[in-house]
Amino acid sequence: MASALREGEVLLNGKDSHSDGVSSAVRPVAGGGGSLPESRPLLLASADEGDKSTSVAAPEGSPTSSPPPSLVTANRSRTYASVATAFMLEKADENVLPSTFDSLGAALQATPAQLGYVTLSRQLSMSLLSPAVGLLGHQGDRRVIVAVGCLMWGLSTCMMAYAVSVPEAAALCSVNGIGIALVMPAGQSLIADYYSDAQRGRAYGIINAVQAFGAMFGVIFATNVSGHEWYGVEGWRISWLLMGVLGLIVGAAFLVLARDPWFPAHRHSGRPAVHSQLAKLRSAFGAARSVLLCPSFVIINLQGLLGIIPFNALTFTMLYLKQLGIDNLHASIIAA
């Protein structure tokens, strides 16, 4: 009982007094009633400590023996690069829609208000699904979740190139939003699990910089490609198709290269589950409730909620610049 209480304190506080340079931001498995799942040790190596490693609690179903530190370090590097690439292309994909508003509106005979509804459909599906993805990542392999999200957004982006009506475009953008919702929370939690408290800020800072470059690439690429016809095909369709193909490639590569530290490829899955799925869900909801009761978390989300309103108004910046008569190249540079 004492060890279970201590494990719950470790997971909720995000810090283990015995962990030294190892990521302690593991996914909570306790809270909201019920007993804690049985855990097994898993080694996560810190880049600052060479071959030294520390044993931390891993969720139920993890391997009985810890992988070598060199393997953990290699997995972390590949996973981090895969997450960064996925996030970069996600931002590029996200900016294809506003960058092609004028061409898309002309082809679908859509007004700016209707184009706003298309954007809303994607944002709405992202917002509604993201909390559920957090619970899904608590139970399954996040490598698979991110890969499926990339494939889903890539496929919907490719299909968007063949859209012929506003309702069809809105439906495809909703699927696109679902794919993005699968990628973002699961990818961020992978980074948190692979890096220690001292390293995590730098890791997220690099990810944010990569995302900014992806957004700039998406704006410049989509705007300039959509302004021309390519072998008789409208440029905006080409830009959507090429971006979707990149998403499919990233999804397949992520499935091969990335690793979830709690669900490595060599884990044994034949052992029967100790707790029922209902108990696991109750535990996950309890952990989510503990996060929502954190004042700092609430304040950060409130400021984000207010700050995103004017930011989303900038979605129509490209359309506005083109209405002023600015050419595609200069408009894309200004918007990027």
Side-chain angles (χ1 to χ4, degrees):
M1 180 65 180
S3 63
L5 290 174
R6 181 185 174 279
E7 183 178 354
E9 182 181 4
V10 167
L11 293 173
L12 291 177
N13 293 337
K15 185 175 181 181
D16 188 346
S17 59
H18 294 286
S19 67
D20 188 14
V22 182
S23 172
S24 54
V26 297
R27 289 167 290 159
V29 295
S35 57
L36 289 167
E38 178 183 338
S39 57
R40 299 178 181 179
L42 177 67
L43 290 180
L44 293 179
S46 171
D48 297 335
E49 298 184 1
D51 292 332
K52 293 171 64 181
S53 58
T54 306
S55 177
V56 298
E60 174 190 352
S62 298
T64 53
S65 59
S66 301
S70 59
L71 176 61
V72 174
T73 302
N75 286 343
R76 181 175 66 176
S77 299
R78 290 198 304 267
T79 302
Y80 185 76
S82 300
V83 171
T85 304
F87 279 23
M88 180 180 67
L89 282 180
E90 180 275 324
K91 279 297 178 184
D93 183 271
E94 199 172 322
N95 281 276
V96 171
L97 178 59
S99 299
T100 58
F101 265 168
D102 61 331
S103 302
L104 183 65
L108 305 184
Q109 298 181 344
T111 64
Q114 290 175 316
L115 294 174
Y117 289 135
V118 173
T119 305
L120 175 64
S121 66
R122 178 168 65 183
Q123 298 299 117
L124 195 59
S125 61
M126 288 172 56
S127 301
L128 294 177
L129 189 65
S130 291
V133 174
L135 296 176
L136 182 63
H138 180 83
Q139 303 294 329
D141 191 337
R142 290 166 292 178
R143 171 184 64 96
V144 176
I145 295 173
V146 174
V148 170
C150 291
L151 294 173
M152 185 177 294
W153 111 51
L155 183 60
S156 62
T157 301
C158 288
M159 294 178 64
M160 186 68 182
Y162 301 95
V164 294
S165 65
V166 173
E168 185 178 340
L172 289 172
C173 282
S174 295
V175 178
N176 186 272
I178 294 173
I180 294 174
L182 290 172
V183 171
M184 299 301 291
Q188 289 172 348
S189 66
L190 278 173
I191 296 173
D193 278 358
Y194 266 117
Y195 287 89
S196 66
D197 293 345
Q199 300 169 321
R200 203 171 296 135
R202 180 176 59 184
Y204 278 120
I206 295 174
I207 287 292
N208 287 337
V210 168
Q211 285 182 299
F213 281 115
M216 289 189 289
F217 167 74
V219 171
I220 295 174
F221 168 77
T223 302
N224 290 280
V225 171
S226 65
H228 305 277
E229 280 197 3
W230 304 84
Y231 301 101
V233 180
E234 295 167 295
W236 71 269
R237 299 184 186 274
I238 297 294
S239 63
W240 280 92
L241 184 62
L242 292 179
M243 192 62 66
V245 170
L246 288 177
L248 294 174
I249 294 174
V250 169
F254 198 98
L255 195 61
V256 174
L257 299 176
R259 290 291 181 270
D260 187 329
W262 298 142
F263 291 87
H266 62 279
R267 76 185 181 103
H268 302 287
S269 57
R271 180 174 173 270
V274 176
H275 296 272
S276 66
Q277 291 298 320
L278 183 60
K280 289 182 179 180
L281 283 177
R282 186 168 57 247
S283 174
F285 276 112
R289 179 177 175 273
S290 68
V291 173
L292 292 174
L293 292 177
C294 176
S296 298
F297 180 81
V298 173
I299 293 173
I300 290 173
N301 279 275
L302 285 177
Q303 68 84 25
L305 178 64
L306 297 176
I308 201 68
I309 295 174
F311 180 79
N312 278 330
L314 298 176
T315 301
F316 291 90
T317 299
M318 182 61 67
L319 183 60
Y320 173 72
L321 293 175
K322 290 188 178 182
Q323 294 280 341
L324 293 178
I326 301 177
D327 64 272
N328 288 331
L329 178 59
H330 290 88
S332 63
I333 293 175
I334 293 172

